[in-house]
C-alpha cells in the first residue's frame, strides 16, 4: 500500500466516481437522468443479444413514455474492435447531439465510451486511441450495466481490440466517464449461469488485485474489501439460482464497488494475462482471468501477504492454524471458482503451446501489469501459463 511513508501519508487526489442510482426498477428514472446531462435525446448503445433477450425493451419504453427521441446502435461485438467503435460513432454522428446511453456488459460500456468520445472529435478514429486522452470532450454518458462484474461504469476508458496489431488498446477521456451508473439488478435476472460466473469472477479479481496493487490506498482498500465480501458471498448464490433478486442485487453493488476500487488503485498481472489471452483466443474476459487467478496469486504471495490476509478476512474464512493467510485466500478463491465452474485449462480455450511466449510477452507489456505487487519477467509469466496449460 502506498498510503504512508517515512514523510507521512501520501497525498491523494480522488475525483468522485459518478452518481449512483441503485435498486430494482430504477430503470424508470432513466429519462430524468438523461435530462440531468442537459440533453433530451438519447443514443442507445447495446448488442443484438440484449435486444433478443428483451432487456432493451424496458429501456426504450421508458424513453418513449417520456417522449424522448432516440436511436439505437446494437451492433457491439463481444470483444469490440476499433472498426466496431468507428461504425457506432458514424451512426451517432448522423443522429446528432444526444446523451449516450450504454446498456450492456463491459464490452458495450467500453464501446460506448469510444463512440461518445469520437462524436466529440469528428476527425478521429478509434485507431487514434493513444492520442485521444488529450482530445476534445465527448458526449455525456449514462451507463446501465446488465452484468455484475466489469465495473466499466466507474471509469472513463474502454478496452477495445486492435485486430490489426492483435492487442487490446485503451480508448478514453475524462469527459466520457459515465455521469450516472444506473444499477438495476432486475436487468440481470435473465443472465445465464455461465455468464454470471464469468462476470462475477471478474468482479472478485478486481477486488483482489486492487487490494494487492502497488497503487492501493485507503479509499480503494475500503471499496475493495467491501467488494470482496459482497461478491464472494453473492456470486455462488446467484450462480445457483439466477432468479434470486437479493443475490443479484448484492452481486451488482459489490461489482460496482470493485470497479470503483480498481479505478483508484489499478489492477495487476491477472488482468495483464487476461487481456492478451482474450486478444489471441477470443476467450471471454472473466474466463481468461479465472484460468490464471490462483496461479498469479501464488506468484504474488511473497509480496502480497497483507493484501491476501485482507482478502481472506473479507471472505470470512477461518483463521489458518499456521497463520498463512495468503494460502487461505488462495484456497478460498479456488473454492469459489470451483463452485461456479469457471476454471478452464488454457489448452481448452484455444491457446496452443506455440502462442504462450507471445502471450507472456504481451502480459508483461500490458499497462496494468506495472501495478502488480511483484514485477514479472517474461520467463516467470511463461511458467505461470505453462502451469495452467
Amino acid at each position: 500500500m502506498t498510503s504512508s511513508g517515512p514523510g507521512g501519508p501520501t497525498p491523494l487526489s480522488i475525483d468522485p466516481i459518478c452518481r449512483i442510482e441503485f435498486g430494482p426498477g430504477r430503470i424508470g428514472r432513466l429519462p430524468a437522468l438523461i435530462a440531468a446531462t442537459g440533453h433530451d435525446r438519447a443514443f442507445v448503445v447495446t448488442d443484438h443479444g440484449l435486444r433478443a433477450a428483451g432487456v432493451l425493451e424496458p429501456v426504450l419504453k421508458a424513453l418513449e413514455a417520456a417522449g424522448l427521441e432516440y436511436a439505437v446502435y446494437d451492433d457491439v461485438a463481444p470483444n469490440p474492435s476499433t472498426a466496431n467503435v468507428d461504425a457506432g460513432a458514424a451512426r451517432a454522428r448522423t443522429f446528432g447531439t444526444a446523451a449516450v446511453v450504454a446498456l450492456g456488459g463491459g464490452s458495450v460500456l467500453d464501446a460506448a465510451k469510444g463512440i461518445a468520445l469520437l462524436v466529440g472529435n469528428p476527425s478521429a478514429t478509434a485507431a487514434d486511441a493513444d492520442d485521444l486522452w488529450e482530445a476534445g470532450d465527448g458526449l455525456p454518458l449514462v451507463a446501465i450495466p446488465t452484468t455484475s462484474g466489469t465495473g466499466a461504469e466507474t471509469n472513463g476508458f474502454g478496452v477495445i481490440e486492435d485486430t490489426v496489431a492483435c492487442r487490446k488498446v485503451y480508448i478514453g477521456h475524462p469527459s466520457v466517464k459515465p455521469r450516472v451508473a444506473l444499477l438495476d439488478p432486475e436487468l440481470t435476472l435473465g443472465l445465464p449461469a455461465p455468464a454470471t460466473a464469468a462476470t462475477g469472477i471478474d468482479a472478485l479479481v478486481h477486488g483482489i488485485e486492487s487490494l494487492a496493487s502497488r497503487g492501493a490506498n485507503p479509499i480503494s482498500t475500503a471499496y475493495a474489501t467491501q467488494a470482496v465480501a459482497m461478491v464472494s458471498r453473492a456470486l455462488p448464490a446467484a450462480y445457483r439460482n439466477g432468479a434470486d433478486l437479493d443475490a443479484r442485487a448484492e452481486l451488482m453493488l459489490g461489482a460496482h464497488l470493485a470497479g470503483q476500487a480498481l479505478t483508484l488503485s489499478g489492477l495487476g498481472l491477472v488482468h495483464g494475462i487476461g487481456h492478451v489471452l482474450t486478444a489471441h483466443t477470443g476467450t471471454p474476459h472473466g474466463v481468461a482471468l479465472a484460468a490464471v487467478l490462483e496461479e498469479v496469486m501464488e506468484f504474488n504471495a511473497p509480496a502480497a501477504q497483507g493484501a491476501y490476509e485482507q482478502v481472506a478476512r473479507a471472505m470470512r474464512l477461518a483463521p489458518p492454524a499456521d497463520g498463512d493467510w495468503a494460502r487461505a485466500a488462495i484456497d478460498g478463491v479456488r473454492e469459489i471458482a470451483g463452485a461456479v465452474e469457471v476454471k478452464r485449462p488454457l489448452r481448452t480455450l484455444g491457446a496452443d503451446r506455440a502462442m504462450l511466449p507471445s502471450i507472456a510477452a504481451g502480459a508483461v507489456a500490458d499497462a496494468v501489469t506495472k501495478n502488480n505487487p511483484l514485477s514479472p519477467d517474461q520467463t516467470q509469466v511463461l511458467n505461470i501459463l505453462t502451469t495452467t496449460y
Side-chain angles (χ1 to χ4, degrees):
M1 185 179 294
T2 59
S3 60
S4 63
T10 300
L12 296 172
S13 178
I14 294 175
D15 187 22
I17 302 298
C18 61
R19 175 176 175 179
I20 301 169
E21 287 287 344
F22 167 73
R26 273 306 203 265
I27 197 69
R29 299 194 178 189
L30 179 58
L33 299 176
I34 291 171
T37 71
H39 292 273
D40 59 3
R41 305 168 82 239
F43 185 77
V44 182
V45 178
T46 188
D47 61 39
H48 292 308
L50 288 169
R51 184 190 282 274
V55 179
L56 177 61
E57 186 178 354
V59 174
L60 300 186
K61 282 186 175 179
L63 298 176
E64 290 164 359
L68 296 188
E69 185 181 0
Y70 65 85
V72 177
Y73 176 72
D74 62 0
D75 286 331
V76 177
N79 289 308
S81 66
T82 50
N84 206 192
V85 172
D86 286 336
R91 176 77 182 277
R93 287 170 181 144
T94 300
F95 181 65
T97 303
V100 174
V101 175
L103 174 75
S107 294
V108 168
L109 271 57
D110 283 359
K113 293 169 195 171
I115 290 168
L117 182 55
L118 292 179
V119 174
N121 294 273
S123 63
T125 68
D128 303 320
D130 291 342
D131 301 319
L132 289 171
W133 296 98
E134 305 297 330
D137 286 354
L139 297 178
L141 196 145
V142 175
I144 311 175
T146 59
T147 64
S148 299
T150 69
E153 72 277 5
T154 64
N155 58 63
F157 64 87
V159 184
I160 60 174
E161 188 167 351
D162 185 333
T163 51
V164 176
C166 196
R167 70 185 182 103
K168 295 286 186 177
V169 296
Y170 296 87
I171 186 169
H173 189 269
S175 65
V176 296
K177 182 172 71 173
R179 305 282 184 89
V180 184
L182 199 167
L183 308 174
D184 188 335
E186 289 184 347
L187 298 179
T188 68
L189 288 174
L191 194 67
T196 298
T199 54
I201 283 291
D202 189 14
L204 185 62
V205 176
H206 289 161
I208 293 169
E209 289 208 292
S210 181
L211 285 168
S213 170
R214 294 183 183 212
N217 59 71
I219 311 298
S220 67
T221 296
Y223 285 140
T225 302
Q226 184 64 21
V228 170
M230 296 176 77
V231 172
S232 63
R233 179 172 57 230
L235 174 55
Y239 179 79
R240 288 192 304 268
N241 178 11
D244 183 341
L245 186 59
D246 288 342
R248 290 290 194 185
E250 183 172 15
L251 183 57
M252 174 167 266
L253 191 53
H256 179 77
L257 293 175
Q260 292 204 24
L262 77 89
T263 299
L264 297 172
S265 65
L267 292 166
L269 180 59
V270 179
H271 273 77
I273 294 173
H275 289 158
V276 187
L277 182 59
T278 294
H280 277 71
T281 65
T283 301
H285 178 64
V287 177
L289 301 180
V292 298
L293 173 56
E294 298 110 89
E295 290 76 13
V296 172
M297 290 180 72
E298 296 267 11
F299 171 76
N300 284 333
Q305 292 287 326
Y308 290 168
E309 179 175 347
Q310 290 173 307
V311 169
R313 289 183 182 276
M315 293 172 65
R316 301 172 181 81
L317 301 179
D322 60 0
D324 190 347
W325 282 101
R327 170 53 51 198
I330 294 167
D331 289 345
V333 166
R334 182 177 290 111
E335 183 176 342
I336 291 174
V340 300
E341 303 174 292
V342 73
K343 179 85 168 179
R344 303 278 188 279
L346 295 184
R347 64 181 177 274
T348 68
L349 301 179
D352 59 55
R353 286 193 181 274
M355 71 171 62
L356 297 186
S358 178
I359 294 173
V364 170
D366 192 283
V368 298
T369 302
K370 71 178 183 295
N371 289 310
N372 201 62
L374 289 176
S375 296
D377 60 32
Q378 188 172 334
T379 299
Q380 290 169 318
V381 177
L382 184 57
N383 286 341
I384 291 171
L385 297 174
T386 302
T387 299
T388 60
Y389 187 77

